[in-house]
Amino acid sequence: MMGTGGLSLDQAPPIDIPARFFLTAPLFAIAAGLLLAWQGPTLLVSRWMPGALAATHLIAIGYLGLIMCGALLQMLPVVAGAAVPAVRLVGTATHLLLTVGAAGLAWGLAGSGPTLIRVGAGAAALGFLVFVIPVGIALVRARGAPGTLLALRTAALALAVTVALGLLLVAVLQGWIRVAEHTRWVDTHAAWGLMGWVGLLVVGVAVQVLPMFYVTPTYPAPMRRWFAPAVLVGVGAASAAWIMGADLVGQAVFGTIALGFIGFAFITLRLISLRERPRLDPTLLHWWAAMLSLCGAALAWTFAAPPTLIGVLLLVGVGVGLPAGMLFKILPFLTWFHLQHRQLGSGRFDLRIPHMGSLLSTRWARVQFGLHLLALALLAGSLWVPVLARPAGIALALSSLVLLLLLIGVARTYRRFAALLRPAPSRAGPQT
């Protein structure tokens, strides 16, 4: 049985707010896959190639950014009991700005010129700003589980730093300002985005979602209390050392952070193995693949592997796969919950609401995971066998397309039942 104790389900925002983020995000992963299939090995020659920069931002902002923002707008009122101010306005503006920003920035970085880069970067930055201010207010007011809140607060702070560094790099790219050794600033931007924003948000989601959906033991108290602030301080210290040229200090601190994430991955896999539900569904397969990819990326960085391999493991292995797996649970749960709420309000107890397990095809979810795993393997292999790049892009696009179709199916089921769950007509006759 799913554990929902401690959740403020009555404060959940309307389902269309997170759903629009979740349904738009796979389009950007499809676009990244098609871009790879079109450019092939050229895209993977270097992380500085225009196509590589475009694909990275399609995934980082268009896919990951949308899913993470949508999930936070949903989670904060439910997990922390703190509603996001003007959530409908915030959700609509954030969704629109991030969608335009990701598309414009990727298109500009792919070689379409500085105007699109400026427009895309400005829209994305404004979208994150519109998002992070009200979310920050909600996080200050929140009084939920301390471990989850700590990870979410540090992730929001890391997002703000990531966006600021991104704007700095756009200014450098446009020639407005100059910085010494700008590649160090690029690496710092990536570290704050991947280790800070994405990494800590994954930790915050895992601490809440794994015990709730899979009835696993809770994470150890020291990890819930100290891991997130330690990562935030560590990334800040390592970034400062790196920018100032103290490479050995920066590498030592980043290595320590990498070991910390390896520890988190092993603890996560251990908790999954101790779950009360023995069935290995597609969501758990994604958790396994993501945690192993995280360990692989940390080890690759430790042994000075090519940066492209690290990027593939983090962006595709963790950044594409894990959100897909979480959406397999989150959207069906939201659909079931909101339909239950509508049923109570309408009094239509004659209508049988579909249960969570029937809202999304397990067989097609396994197909999606298989395609994702194939894309990840081909992408990693293409660094040594370049001819694999185009098949990798096709597999990535197909896996994301299957994800999109599965989510559309859940959304259509919600709309069909929501239309039926209208308030029952009054039985009272006319007054005489």
Side-chain angles (χ1 to χ4, degrees), residues 8-386:
S8 303
L9 295 175
D10 57 317
Q11 297 193 49
I15 190 172
D16 66 287
I17 295 175
R20 70 185 66 175
F21 287 84
F22 300 156
L23 291 170
T24 306
L27 295 173
F28 288 96
I30 293 171
L34 294 177
L35 180 61
L36 175 60
W38 174 41
Q39 295 198 354
T42 305
L43 188 144
L44 298 172
V45 168
S46 166
R47 59 177 174 149
W48 305 110
M49 295 296 293
L53 291 172
T56 296
H57 288 83
L58 283 171
I59 292 174
I61 299 177
Y63 180 82
L64 261 174
L66 284 172
I67 291 177
M68 295 302 191
C69 289
L72 263 181
L73 289 175
Q74 173 65 40
M75 281 184 63
L76 276 177
V78 174
V79 174
V84 177
V87 66
R88 182 169 291 280
L89 178 61
V90 169
T92 301
T94 302
H95 174 262
L96 177 62
L97 288 167
L98 289 186
T99 300
V100 172
L105 187 57
W107 199 350
L109 289 171
S112 294
T115 301
L116 272 176
I117 294 177
R118 288 195 294 268
V119 171
L126 184 57
F128 282 124
L129 182 65
V130 168
F131 171 79
V132 80
I133 291 176
V135 164
I137 293 172
L139 283 169
V140 170
R141 296 173 177 172
R143 296 293 182 268
T148 301
L149 279 180
L150 192 58
L152 296 182
R153 285 168 176 161
T154 51
L157 183 57
L159 171 62
V161 176
T162 304
V163 173
L165 289 170
L167 289 175
L168 172 69
L169 291 171
V170 169
V172 172
L173 192 62
Q174 298 293 317
W176 298 336
I177 62 173
R178 293 183 180 180
V179 295
E181 298 187 64
H182 80 279
T183 57
R184 294 179 182 270
W185 291 90
V186 173
D187 292 337
T188 301
H189 170 64
W192 277 98
L194 292 174
M195 289 183 170
W197 161 236
V198 176
L200 292 178
L201 196 52
V202 167
V203 171
V205 170
V207 167
Q208 181 66 42
V209 164
L210 285 182
M212 182 177 75
F213 283 134
Y214 308 106
V215 200
T216 68
T218 58
Y219 280 82
M223 172 159 280
R224 297 198 308 270
R225 292 173 185 168
W226 302 111
F227 185 78
V231 168
L232 192 71
V233 172
V235 173
S239 300
W242 214 343
I243 290 171
M244 291 187 294
D247 291 348
L248 291 179
V249 175
Q251 289 176 1
V253 178
F254 273 126
T256 304
I257 298 171
L259 288 175
F261 275 108
I262 289 176
F264 164 76
F266 276 113
I267 290 173
T268 300
L269 294 176
R270 173 63 176 164
L271 294 179
I272 289 174
S273 70
L274 296 175
R275 68 193 183 281
E276 293 186 14
R277 294 178 175 181
R279 194 178 79 166
L280 191 64
D281 65 20
T283 305
L284 288 174
L285 292 174
H286 271 296
W287 274 99
W288 272 93
M291 293 302 102
L292 293 176
S293 295
L294 181 59
C295 293
L299 291 173
W301 184 86
T302 302
F303 291 101
T308 310
L309 175 61
I310 300 171
V312 165
L313 291 172
L314 288 177
L315 276 177
V316 179
V318 181
V320 174
L322 188 54
M326 290 192 292
L327 288 180
F328 288 161
K329 285 291 186 184
I330 291 174
L331 194 57
F333 170 72
L334 293 179
T335 298
W336 169 82
F337 164 70
H338 282 278
L339 288 177
Q340 289 275 350
H341 186 72
R342 277 180 170 265
Q343 187 175 48
L344 289 173
S346 66
R348 288 292 309 275
F349 299 107
D350 59 309
L351 187 65
R352 185 176 180 180
I353 300 299
H355 58 82
M356 279 182 58
S358 66
L359 287 168
L360 190 142
S361 168
T362 301
R363 182 176 68 177
W364 278 103
R366 290 182 183 274
V367 170
Q368 192 278 335
F369 173 75
L371 288 169
H372 165 73
L373 211 59
L374 176 63
L376 180 60
L378 290 173
L379 258 175
S382 67
L383 302 180
W384 290 273
V385 185

